[in-house]
Amino acid sequence: MKYKVYIPSMGRSGKVTSNKLFLESSIVCPEREVKEYKKHYKGVIGVPDKIKGITATRNWILDYNKKNKNSWHIQVDDDARSFHKYEKTELIKFTDPERIHTILETMFLMTEEI
C-alpha cells in the first residue's frame, strides 16, 4: 500500500470504529494509553505524553510520517463509520475496505500525476 492511514484517538480504547474501514491503519494514542489500546487493536502507535491536544497530535503524525519516509497519508477521526460521495444528486455510502482502498489509491495517484 502506497499510503498510510492514521487514526488519532484518546480515551476511546475499545470504541474506535474507523479502523474497520481500512485494509491497514494505525491508531495513534497517548503513550500512557498504548497498553489499553493494544488489547483491542493492532498497529497502535504511542504519541509522547508531552504532546497535548489534537492539533499537536496531528502535527506529530505529520512529522512521524515524514520521518518514516511515507509520502502519502490520511488522518481519520476515530469514530468514522463510512465514506460518502455524491454522484449528481445521489449520496453513495462506502463501508467496504477494498472499495475504500481503491478510491483512496486512485485519488492519490491522480493527484500525483497532476
Side-chain angles (χ1 to χ4, degrees):
M1 198 172 335
K2 293 183 82 172
Y3 64 91
K4 297 287 184 185
V5 177
Y6 298 103
I7 303 169
S9 184
M10 185 176 84
R12 293 181 39 83
S13 178
K15 298 176 184 173
V16 174
T17 57
S18 303
N19 61 319
K20 297 173 185 158
L21 298 172
F22 303 100
L23 299 175
E24 293 178 28
S25 62
S26 297
I27 296 176
V28 181
C29 66
E31 191 66 47
R32 66 186 176 276
E33 297 183 22
V34 166
K35 187 175 178 181
E36 186 63 32
Y37 272 81
K38 284 186 175 183
K39 291 178 185 177
H40 303 278
Y41 316 104
K42 296 178 190 173
V44 175
I45 299 170
V47 176
D49 289 330
K50 68 181 180 181
I51 303 294
K52 303 288 186 198
I54 189 62
T55 302
T57 299
R58 289 188 183 281
N59 285 330
W60 185 91
I61 292 169
L62 287 170
D63 293 340
Y64 177 88
N65 189 67
K66 189 175 187 179
K67 183 176 81 176
N68 286 287
K69 298 180 174 46
N70 301 313
S71 57
W72 303 341
H73 84 281
I74 63 171
Q75 297 181 30
V76 180
D77 289 347
D78 65 359
D79 60 351
R81 296 181 187 271
S82 59
F83 278 66
H84 300 88
K85 74 172 187 171
Y86 280 97
E87 285 187 10
K88 298 186 180 181
T89 59
E90 182 183 358
L91 179 65
I92 299 172
K93 179 178 172 178
F94 298 101
T95 58
D96 176 54
E98 288 284 345
R99 180 74 176 125
I100 292 169
H101 165 71
T102 300
I103 291 167
L104 289 172
E105 193 161 65
T106 300
M107 290 171 64
F108 278 120
L109 289 169
M110 289 172 56
T111 303
E112 187 175 68
E113 287 178 10
I114 290 173

